[in-house]
Amino acid sequence: MESPHVIKGPDPMDSLLSAAKKLADKGAIRDEIVSGIYGVSAGICSDAVTYQDRKKLGSTYKLDRIVTSRLWGFPIMLAGLGLVFWITIAGANYPSGWLASLFGWIEGYLTAGFEAVNAPSWLHGVLVLGLYRGTSWVISVMLPPMLIFFPVFALLENFGYLPRVAFNMDRLFKKSGGHGKQALTMSMGFGCNAAAILSTRIIESPRERMLAILTNNFVPCNGRWPTLILLSSMFMVGAATTGALRTFSTALVLMGIVLIGITVTLTVSWVMSKTALRGVPTHYTLELPPYRRPQIWKTIVRSSKEKSLNVLTRAIIVAAPAGIITWVLGNVVVGGDSVLNHMAAFFDPFAQLLGMDGFIIMAFILGLPANEIVLPILLMGYMSSGAMVDVDGLGSIKDIFLSHGWTWLTALNMMLFSLLHYPCGTTLVNIYKETKSLKWAVLSAVIPLGIAITVTFAVAQIVRLLGWV
Amino acid sequence: MSHYTVAFAGNPNTGKSTLFNLLTGLRQHTGNWAGKTVITAEGEFTHNQHVYRAVDLPGTYSLYSNSADEEAARDYIIFEQPDVTLVVLDATSLERNLNLALQVLEITGRAVICINLIDEAKKLGIDINLKAISKRLGVPVVAISARNEIGIEALLNQLERVATGAFTGKPLQITYSEDIERGIAELIPLVEQTVGSRYPARWIALRLLDGDNSLLTSLKAHMRGSKRYETKEVAGHGVTACH
């Protein structure tokens, strides 16, 4: 007998599929397949698995009734976030000061050494004032908060809290037209945007995945936390507040920044899903895994060793040459002023409109490869631009900023710009690789940049109009 | 000394990456949430003078190609045809986890089922009859705790049996409804005629009945031989902060 489905035509594969389609046109095939598999699973388990006490099984989910409840879900989330910040700021404050003093003390000996061998002053400038100072600041400012923040975050992650965050956020993302899993990829962005772009692969629909990719930049990553933590603890809290209250207020400011980021994420998702990426959110199942006691020491050691050192190494690798270059640019004089000052002066008029200055914008532009180096470049730029301050602790970092006319508005807008501006180079490359579209890669830099400029401009104008600075 | 490839498959949150790290000594990022391993990572380990190349597939609930990571896992098992597919299951929610194991067994009998978190299951008062499960599935079943390094030796021994061919499994094939079975029977000859005997014809027929276009796209690409499956290692091992 001849087969009823003769394969012919240009592509046998397509004929195969159409043959299959003909056979399957009764629909509900997927349901039958799935119920077939589930039936066998259930059969095996009822034969081979016995439960002493079924109630015990539900016990790990008791906690979920509280942390994912409509009433308590968000307050607990915010309190948790605040607590993590509070621990980070309170714990990092003193070690940062000690490290800065230690490096300052060593610098004294280095300078003495250079003088003893009659080294030319430019060599001392390049190596000590540029290279050494730049890198030692990066270490003292970034290492202590990272050593606290990353392990605490990793503990929460291994405990199983992140899926609960996603569960709570799901409603908001649904309303903004995105996918609930966007909450998970967003959480991953708190660690690293570049990695989070890869993690958007868990989102099935291309439309919703694109939303997750476009908005991932709006949560601060490893590279931006140190900048945010440092600036908020220096400028955003009144001088009168001290001790625990000070730490507490700083944590509140950081939380505010994160909330702004999440609000922008939701708003952009909503606007995009109403315009360029129209569509209806798809359904999905989000698994809430049982809570597990994290392996505390392993987690702490691993996250310190890998995450903290990783970020720090990258910062130093880029900051060290950047330190030399900025020192050279700051000391090569053309037409009565250093090259660095010329460059900063070029950006300055525009930057002033945004409540910042030319050095800050320059630092953001030079910091495209990695957000870790924005702050070091800025500091080095300031230091080599004539206002030589003797640095012997964190307090003098603030003096450097103040001597360049910083106010709380400058700090706030730099934080906002850091939060909202384009993603780092690696993230952009990943976006291009994942979407295979130059258009979306460019848009994912241009949209955030536009928002960052708009927001900082508006804030600067309003604050000045009201005469608050 | 021989070289074998082992693919690690499993639902998210089953401790698959923990086991992978334990065996290979790598530090693939572990975390308690779904979808953390979105790229496949590779490592190596040795047992009884055999060298195993371990491939950590993304954690998935099914191989029905709902998303990019499910496609990646499915394509690896079908096209790369690892010597052993190790399916890691969570002992505390075995019924749901078994679905993936059943789907893997529909593709290949060269599999070992590894029931992880057995110590947690004991704590919760769950008793699992390994022999009964192994008998039904037709492949070796081992209970382990990757975290506390329980049962690892036994697992490696079973891996070796399947890898070397000392054990040939008779994997459980699910019998579907009459309609589906009739469709499969009609399609199998066509599938074999079109794609050859290298790939599991029954499974492909089933997926085609379900209208799985992405499988067909992958098949086409592989038939032309233009696209070799690339094991991506974009973020490297354990590097989450990758600017």
Side-chain angles (χ1 to χ4, degrees):
Chain A
M1 199 187 93
E2 208 184 77
S3 165
H5 314 285
V6 183
I7 294 181
K8 53 182 177 223
D11 194 330
M13 288 284 185
D14 290 333
S15 327
L16 187 57
L17 187 70
S18 60
K21 276 207 180 108
K22 232 177 273 164
L23 284 166
D25 61 0
K26 291 172 208 79
I29 285 269
R30 169 65 67 98
D31 287 349
E32 280 180 41
I33 293 175
V34 169
S35 63
I37 291 181
Y38 271 69
V40 175
S41 287
I44 293 175
C45 283
S46 72
D47 291 345
V49 183
T50 46
Y51 300 93
Q52 286 168 13
D53 183 4
R54 279 195 176 264
K55 266 190 211 136
K56 237 182 177 174
L57 278 178
S59 67
T60 63
Y61 292 103
K62 255 184 208 152
L63 192 55
D64 277 338
R65 247 169 266 151
I66 306 168
V67 301
T68 61
S69 77
R70 266 170 192 271
L71 183 62
W72 293 106
F74 279 93
I76 288 174
M77 235 159 61
L78 291 178
L81 194 66
L83 186 70
V84 171
F85 289 145
W86 186 81
I87 294 172
T88 306
I89 298 160
N93 200 5
Y94 290 105
S96 276
W98 296 333
L99 273 177
S101 312
L102 175 72
F103 284 122
W105 179 75
I106 296 173
E107 191 187 303
Y109 282 90
L110 285 176
T111 305
F114 273 82
E115 277 166 4
V117 296
N118 284 322
S121 70
W122 64 265
L123 189 68
H124 174 256
V126 168
L127 291 182
V128 178
L129 300 180
L131 180 78
Y132 175 82
R133 235 183 220 187
T135 44
S136 66
W137 277 13
V138 177
I139 296 173
S140 47
V141 165
M142 289 175 59
L143 185 62
M146 285 195 306
L147 278 182
I148 301 172
F149 181 76
F150 293 154
V152 173
F153 200 80
L155 283 176
L156 273 182
E157 185 182 347
N158 284 357
F159 175 57
Y161 187 60
L162 283 193
R164 275 75 190 181
V165 171
F167 185 89
N168 288 333
M169 301 288 295
D170 177 60
R171 270 171 272 149
L172 295 179
F173 277 103
K174 273 270 156 67
K175 270 187 198 144
S176 71
H179 194 286
K181 279 189 197 164
Q182 200 176 333
L184 274 180
T185 60
M186 187 186 79
S187 304
M188 193 138 181
F190 282 116
C192 169
N193 297 132
I197 296 302
L198 297 182
S199 78
T200 59
R201 290 183 191 178
I202 59 174
I203 297 175
E204 290 90 357
S205 116
R207 181 192 79 87
E208 286 154 8
R209 193 174 163 206
M210 194 62 79
L211 283 177
I213 289 176
L214 282 177
T215 55
N216 194 269
N217 166 61
F218 298 126
V219 287
C221 62
N222 287 341
R224 291 182 274 168
W225 283 117
T227 306
L228 296 175
I229 292 174
L230 187 78
L231 290 184
S232 59
S233 61
M234 275 183 184
F235 283 94
M236 302 312 294
V237 182
T241 48
T242 46
L245 183 64
R246 190 180 180 81
T247 314
F248 182 71
S249 333
T250 313
L252 278 185
V253 171
L254 274 177
M255 233 162 75
I257 290 284
V258 171
L259 289 183
I260 292 173
I262 294 174
T263 312
V264 173
T265 301
L266 291 169
T267 314
V268 171
S269 302
W270 184 77
V271 171
M272 293 303 284
S273 69
K274 288 275 172 290
T275 53
L277 293 167
R278 233 169 298 189
V280 188
T282 47
H283 290 278
Y284 79 110
T285 347
L286 175 70
E287 182 188 22
L288 294 181
Y291 289 104
R292 285 184 192 132
R293 189 178 52 79
Q295 293 169 295
I296 295 175
W297 273 114
K298 237 182 180 171
T299 309
I300 292 177
V301 169
R302 188 169 286 175
S303 62
S304 318
K305 226 170 72 186
E306 274 154 25
K307 272 198 194 162
S308 310
L309 283 186
N310 209 302
V311 174
L312 193 68
T313 318
R314 220 199 317 266
I316 291 174
I317 288 172
V318 194
I324 297 176
I325 292 169
T326 29
W327 190 90
V328 170
L329 289 178
N331 286 274
V332 174
V333 178
V334 181
D337 210 345
S338 72
V339 178
L340 197 69
N341 281 345
H342 280 303
M343 287 164 70
F346 173 77
F347 292 114
D348 207 54
F350 174 65
Q352 291 297 339
L353 285 178
L354 307 184
M356 293 179 278
D357 67 24
F359 283 101
I360 302 178
I361 295 295
M362 204 171 60
F364 275 119
I365 293 173
L366 293 176
L368 176 67
N371 283 303
E372 287 89 338
I373 61 170
V374 171
L375 197 64
I377 289 182
L378 178 64
L379 282 173
M380 285 180 241
Y382 279 158
M383 284 215 298
S384 56
S385 69
M388 275 301 183
V389 187
D390 241 351
V391 188
D392 58 354
L394 282 183
S396 36
I397 292 185
K398 185 173 178 179
D399 290 339
I400 295 176
F401 287 139
L402 288 175
S403 71
H404 279 84
W406 273 50
T407 62
W408 64 267
L409 175 66
T410 326
L412 175 67
N413 274 5
M414 180 164 175
M415 286 164 75
L416 286 173
F417 200 84
S418 169
L419 175 76
L420 302 171
H421 81 303
Y422 45 78
C424 72
T426 316
T427 307
L428 288 173
V429 169
N430 279 356
I431 292 176
Y432 176 69
K433 276 193 199 150
E434 292 294 311
T435 60
K436 297 194 183 69
S437 147
L438 196 61
K439 177 188 128 192
W440 287 112
V442 170
L443 275 180
S444 61
V446 172
I447 294 174
L449 184 63
I451 293 173
I453 291 175
T454 315
V455 168
T456 48
F457 177 78
V459 169
Q461 300 310 316
I462 292 171
V463 168
R464 282 176 189 151
L465 198 71
L466 296 176
W468 286 350
V469 286
Chain B
M1 191 167 100
S2 341
H3 288 257
Y4 298 107
T5 313
V6 185
F8 287 55
N11 285 14
N13 298 309
T14 50
K16 195 165 61 70
S17 294
T18 310
L19 177 65
F20 181 84
N21 289 344
L22 175 71
L23 292 178
T24 60
L26 288 172
R27 283 174 302 275
Q28 181 72 4
H29 180 63
T30 59
N32 189 7
W33 53 291
K36 154 201 71 55
T37 311
V38 285
I39 43 169
T40 49
E42 271 193 49
E44 218 177 59
F45 62 91
T46 315
H47 177 66
N48 289 347
Q49 270 102 51
H50 297 300
V51 180
Y52 296 87
R53 191 167 68 94
V55 179
D56 194 14
L57 301 178
T60 56
Y61 296 104
S62 81
L63 297 173
Y64 288 165
S65 63
N66 290 316
S67 61
D69 50 346
E70 288 192 5
E71 259 172 57
R74 176 201 69 191
D75 283 0
Y76 191 88
I77 298 174
I78 292 188
F79 298 117
E80 291 302 297
Q81 306 191 335
D83 296 304
V84 190
T85 301
L86 182 67
V87 189
V88 184
L89 310 181
D90 177 353
T92 61
S93 48
L94 204 55
E95 190 169 326
R96 190 187 55 205
N97 276 234
L98 264 176
N99 295 324
L100 181 75
L102 292 173
Q103 290 174 40
V104 169
L105 292 183
E106 287 190 298
I107 301 176
T108 174
R110 302 182 66 97
V112 173
I113 308 298
C114 162
I115 299 181
N116 191 19
L117 299 164
I118 193 69
D119 44 355
E120 295 227 2
K122 276 204 187 104
K123 250 186 255 163
L124 291 169
I126 303 171
D127 188 50
I128 298 168
N129 184 345
L130 296 177
K131 271 198 190 130
I133 298 181
S134 177
K135 207 175 156 201
R136 280 299 303 277
L137 296 181
V139 292
V141 176
V142 191
I144 68 155
S145 164
R147 243 172 86 157
N148 297 314
E149 303 183 21
I150 298 167
I152 305 299
E153 192 66 22
L155 173 68
L156 291 174
N157 289 335
Q158 293 300 337
L159 267 184
E160 184 183 326
R161 282 179 67 212
V162 175
T164 55
F167 172 91
T168 353
K170 252 201 224 135
L172 168 70
Q173 293 292 328
I174 294 169
T175 315
Y176 294 99
S177 69
E178 253 175 62
D179 282 347
I180 296 181
E181 286 298 336
R182 201 179 311 121
I184 292 176
E186 278 190 48
L187 275 180
I188 283 181
L190 295 180
V191 171
E192 279 173 347
Q193 195 182 324
T194 320
V195 303
S197 56
R198 194 174 140 74
Y199 305 116
R202 180 183 157 88
W203 192 78
I204 291 175
L206 178 70
R207 298 308 307 138
L208 289 177
L209 276 179
D210 193 22
D212 188 343
N213 289 323
S214 86
L215 175 65
L216 209 76
T217 316
S218 291
L219 270 173
K220 267 186 196 169
H222 280 267
M223 298 293 290
R224 277 201 306 272
S226 59
K227 182 193 141 203
R228 286 281 302 161
Y229 183 85
E230 290 166 45
T231 317
K232 297 179 197 94
E233 234 176 315
V234 187
H237 300 299
V239 184
T240 35
C242 47
H243 286 263

